Amino acid sequence: MMIVLTLAAIGLSGCWDSFDLQDIQYVTALGIDYDSEEDEYIIYAQSIDFSHLSVSQEGMSEVDSGAWVAEARGETILMALENFSSKSNQMLHWGHVNVLVYSMKALEHEPIIEINEGLYRFHQVRTTPWVFGTAESLEEILLLTNMYGDIVHTELFNPDTVYKERAFIEPITLHQLMRNYAEKGRIVVLPRVGINKKELKDNNNKKKDAMSSDGAILLKGDSEPKLFTDLQLAGLRWLNNQTENSPLQIEEDGKTIAALNIIRPKNRIHSEVINGEVFFDVHIDVHASLLDFPPDETLGASRTIKEILQLMEKMIEKQVRDTYLLGLNNEKDVYSLENQFYRSDVRSYNQMKQTFELTEASLRNITVRAVIEHTGEYEFYRDRVPKSEQQ
């Protein structure tokens, strides 16, 4: 009899506190906002009905995405998160949060390290979600779907896939953000997301909003966050060794000379202290594939490969310097040159860390060495490139 009762107890002990999946509400994304009038945080929580992901996407509409967004408020981040428990008639599970989106209002209210303090205390939220910033409605962004009505196959949940195809602003996770923020002299480049109104159209001529990614919000210490576009930060990609593919259009006198794809640029930065002032020399190696010449013979068709290389090197150099000067004018060290100096020569840095200051002259030399590895089909190469260069 004792053996039977013991076996029964063992059988019951393994599942007495289990729950069915349909009894749990899974939170997949969070938006963090701040209401200055009420002096409280607003948290938007996105939850998805995963049963929608297992069925055919054919014919799905925006209302079929199976997602909802709830709002909760609190004087602190932690209080706002705790207030969600009264808004759901099911158990909430926070371990599947894969996206965090911060509003500009929240970022301007206090440093992001203080905002994230509450998230770290809320133990169910991990440190691996993708992080973004925005100046638009968090509620609308968290409800955006792709063209097939799927809410999880968007750039919010898969930013690295888009980045590999078209590299401008590198996606980062929460733990990368906090690591970079804590490093001496390093700036945080927080990717920005937004909404393109009525950009997509279906075969019924119905239009819907689409997600956009353009630029980044630059964060450093207690200073005011600044928002810049992709065009303004064009030089940033050439000093990021994670860049795999990035487009570049060469223009001259307002006309397109050639379209290229830059492949895996590599950079080296050297610092030198002269009379108590730091100077930086940047060397960039780029490999490119030539995608197209314009058909007009007076434009790209008349250019030699050597001329295109010279124009490409000149344009990349200009983008790097323009982005640096833009950051300088907004009190932002876009390329984290202070961090580079600290890492490469910590003794000199410690001697002048109180007087360290970047000026227009600090970025002394920018050297670009470009190579065109692919020119397209053989006929294209033969027809457009002079015979002397073909050899």
Side-chain angles (χ1 to χ4, degrees):
M1 183 65 177
M2 181 63 70
I3 295 175
V4 174
L5 290 175
T6 303
L7 291 174
I10 293 174
L12 290 173
S13 64
C15 59
W16 67 271
D17 61 345
S18 65
F19 295 91
D20 291 332
L21 292 178
Q22 62 267 26
D23 295 332
I24 303 175
Q25 198 73 50
Y26 293 91
V27 179
T28 49
L30 291 175
I32 301 175
D33 201 357
Y34 180 75
D35 185 341
S36 56
E37 294 183 359
E38 299 294 333
D39 192 23
E40 59 185 7
Y41 282 100
I42 310 171
I43 306 295
Y44 297 92
Q46 177 202 80
S47 182
I48 296 175
D49 179 1
F50 287 99
S51 65
H52 283 70
L53 304 181
S54 61
V55 299
S56 171
Q57 299 294 320
E58 184 178 357
M60 286 187 69
S61 62
E62 190 170 357
V63 296
D64 294 323
S65 66
W68 58 260
V69 173
E71 172 190 327
R73 291 170 174 257
E75 294 181 8
T76 66
I77 296 290
L78 193 58
M79 290 174 64
L81 289 169
E82 293 289 355
N83 286 337
F84 274 108
S85 59
S86 63
K87 295 180 177 293
S88 174
N89 56 4
Q90 290 179 291
M91 175 182 290
L92 288 173
H93 182 72
W94 303 84
H96 288 283
V97 174
N98 288 321
V99 175
L100 293 173
V101 187
Y102 304 87
S103 74
M104 280 295 291
K105 292 180 180 178
L107 296 173
E108 290 169 348
H109 172 62
E110 64 178 352
I112 198 167
I113 195 169
E114 301 295 337
I115 296 174
N116 289 338
E117 176 71 17
L119 289 176
Y120 282 143
R121 291 177 181 274
F122 199 71
H123 66 277
Q124 289 190 48
V125 177
R126 299 184 239 177
T127 61
T128 55
W130 297 110
V131 290
F132 303 90
T134 188
E136 302 185 48
S137 167
L138 286 170
E139 190 173 18
E140 290 183 37
I141 285 176
L142 293 180
L143 285 173
L144 282 177
T145 64
N146 64 16
M147 65 185 71
Y148 302 112
D150 184 349
I151 204 163
V152 299
H153 292 97
T154 64
E155 191 166 349
L156 279 184
F157 290 87
N158 302 281
D160 52 339
T161 303
V162 178
Y163 180 72
K164 288 179 181 179
E165 296 296 322
R166 180 184 177 274
F168 268 84
I169 305 301
E170 182 183 4
I172 60 172
T173 60
L174 177 59
H175 77 271
Q176 290 173 322
L177 182 154
M178 296 300 287
R179 181 193 66 196
N180 292 347
Y181 192 91
E183 278 199 44
K184 189 181 296 293
R186 182 181 287 277
I187 199 164
V188 172
V189 182
L190 183 65
R192 171 190 172 270
V193 290
I195 303 172
N196 284 333
K197 295 291 185 179
K198 305 301 180 184
E199 183 178 72
L200 300 177
K201 183 190 293 186
D202 63 16
N203 56 359
N204 295 318
N205 208 34
K206 181 182 177 181
K207 295 184 177 181
K208 63 176 293 185
D209 298 340
M211 187 166 295
S212 68
S213 58
D214 183 14
I217 301 170
L218 302 189
L219 308 170
K220 185 176 182 180
D222 297 335
S223 62
E224 181 183 358
K226 295 286 185 177
L227 197 158
F228 300 98
T229 65
D230 279 348
L231 185 61
Q232 292 173 317
L233 298 176
L236 194 62
R237 53 190 168 156
W238 311 131
L239 291 184
N240 186 344
N241 289 331
Q242 300 303 313
T243 300
E244 291 192 18
N245 295 281
S246 195
L248 180 67
Q249 281 195 186
I250 299 177
E251 297 181 353
E252 190 175 58
D253 299 328
K255 298 179 180 180
T256 300
I257 301 299
L260 303 107
N261 180 49
I262 308 301
I263 307 165
R264 295 181 293 277
K266 300 298 178 184
N267 74 85
R268 300 186 302 277
I269 301 177
H270 173 72
S271 59
E272 183 181 12
V273 180
I274 301 177
N275 296 327
E277 189 174 355
V278 185
F279 297 93
F280 296 89
D281 297 321
V282 177
H283 183 87
I284 304 171
D285 289 306
V286 298
H287 296 259
S289 59
L290 185 58
L291 301 179
D292 196 15
F293 279 120
D296 188 348
E297 290 185 358
T298 64
L299 299 177
S302 63
R303 302 286 177 159
T304 65
I305 292 295
K306 183 177 180 180
E307 289 173 331
I308 290 178
L309 283 171
Q310 291 173 343
L311 290 169
M312 179 169 58
E313 291 170 350
K314 183 178 179 181
M315 187 169 186
I316 291 175
E317 178 187 351
K318 183 177 185 302
Q319 288 185 351
V320 171
R321 192 170 294 279
D322 286 350
T323 296
Y324 169 76
L325 293 176
L326 179 68
L328 197 64
N329 292 334
N330 287 273
E331 300 180 344
K332 290 291 185 287
D333 180 7
V334 178
Y335 301 130
S336 297
L337 294 178
E338 182 179 355
N339 180 262
Q340 191 280 334
F341 177 46
Y342 168 73
R343 285 172 170 271
S344 63
D345 191 354
V346 65
R347 179 177 296 180
S348 297
Y349 179 84
N350 287 333
Q351 291 175 350
M352 59 180 300
K353 60 183 178 181
Q354 302 299 328
T355 59
F356 180 88
E357 183 181 3
L358 291 175
T359 65
E360 185 174 337
S362 298
L363 186 55
R364 186 170 55 184
N365 298 310
I366 302 172
T367 305
V368 182
R369 187 181 69 88
V371 176
I372 295 180
E373 293 184 338
H374 307 287
T375 57
E377 296 182 358
Y378 173 74
E379 289 80 11
F380 182 91
Y381 182 83
R382 182 192 62 195
D383 294 341
R384 298 296 185 93
V385 180
K387 289 184 178 180
S388 59
E389 290 205 17
Q390 292 181 32
Q391 299 174 359

